[in-house]
Amino acid sequence: MKLDIQLGERTGRLETRNGRFELQWSDGAHVAGEASVAEVEPGIYSVLLEGRSFEAKIVPATPAHPEDRTWMVDIGGNRFAIEAFDPRSRRGRHASGPGEGRQTISAPMPGKIVRVLVTAAEPVEAGQRLLVVEAMKMQNEVKAPRAGVVAQVNVAEGATVAAGDVLVVIE
C-alpha cells in the first residue's frame, strides 16, 4: 500500500508491504523498518514498530465530513493532524475535493482558537490556513478544503470551541 502524507508542513510517501514500512520524506529524510498494525477497537490500533508497542487512536478531523482525508492521531498523549491519500486517486486530494456550494468547516476537537487568519469576504485557496486551534497543548491548523470565498467567520481569537462547532463557512 502506498500513501502520500502531510504532517504539518512536511510531506512524504509511506509504503507498506509484507510487514515492512518505508517512509520517504520530501526533504530527503528516510525511515524504514518492520511494523505490524492491528485494529483492536473501532479507531484504536495496536502498533508494533521495530519491537516497540504503541496504541494509536485515529479519528477523522472533521467527523461531519468523512470525505476529508485529515485525521487526528493520538499516540501516547501526543495529538497531531495528518493528511493521507492514495497517490493514484485522481492526482490525490486536489482533484477529488469537495464540490461547489457552501461548505462549513467545523472544529475537529474541543479547544481554544489561537489565531484567526482569514476574514469574511476574503478569497481562499485549497489548503490555505484558516485558523489555529489549540487542544491538549498542541496547535492544529484548520485549512480550507477547497478554493472559494469566506462567507462567515464564527469565532474570534481566544474563543473556546466544542468539537463540531462551525468555525468558518466557505462559498
Side-chain angles (χ1 to χ4, degrees):
M1 173 177 70
K2 290 182 183 179
L3 290 174
D4 284 345
I5 62 172
Q6 182 166 352
L7 178 61
E9 298 299 316
R10 249 181 139 183
T11 60
R13 174 152 299 166
L14 174 67
E15 186 171 351
T16 61
R17 185 180 327 135
N18 300 327
R20 296 207 37 89
F21 78 95
E22 184 172 349
L23 176 56
Q24 180 69 49
W25 291 106
S26 58
D27 62 10
H30 180 261
V31 182
E34 293 183 27
S36 171
V37 178
E39 187 172 24
V40 293
E41 293 179 35
I44 307 288
Y45 297 84
S46 175
V47 180
L48 186 61
L49 180 64
E50 292 293 298
R52 295 180 57 202
S53 179
F54 301 92
E55 180 179 278
K57 181 177 182 184
I58 303 174
V59 296
T62 51
H65 301 283
E67 71 280 359
D68 188 3
R69 294 178 180 99
T70 304
W71 302 88
M72 295 308 300
V73 179
D74 187 333
I75 299 175
N78 296 312
R79 179 173 269 197
F80 52 93
I82 187 168
E83 288 182 77
F85 56 95
D86 185 334
R88 300 169 297 174
S89 64
R90 292 179 37 197
R91 294 179 47 219
R93 64 181 171 233
H94 300 294
S96 60
E100 297 298 315
R102 180 169 269 235
Q103 175 136 21
T104 59
I105 314 303
S106 302
M109 69 201 80
K112 178 181 177 182
I113 303 299
V114 177
R115 281 190 300 265
V116 177
L117 304 168
V118 294
T119 59
E122 181 178 338
V124 294
E125 296 297 319
Q128 180 177 333
R129 297 178 327 148
L130 303 173
L131 48 90
V132 179
V133 179
E134 183 177 281
M136 299 175 61
K137 299 183 183 177
M138 296 288 293
Q139 292 190 358
N140 301 287
E141 295 178 341
V142 176
K143 297 180 181 180
R146 64 172 177 83
V149 175
V150 176
Q152 294 174 291
V153 177
N154 296 337
V155 294
E157 291 182 10
T160 302
V161 295
D165 285 356
V166 175
L167 306 173
V168 177
V169 177
I170 296 176
E171 293 184 329

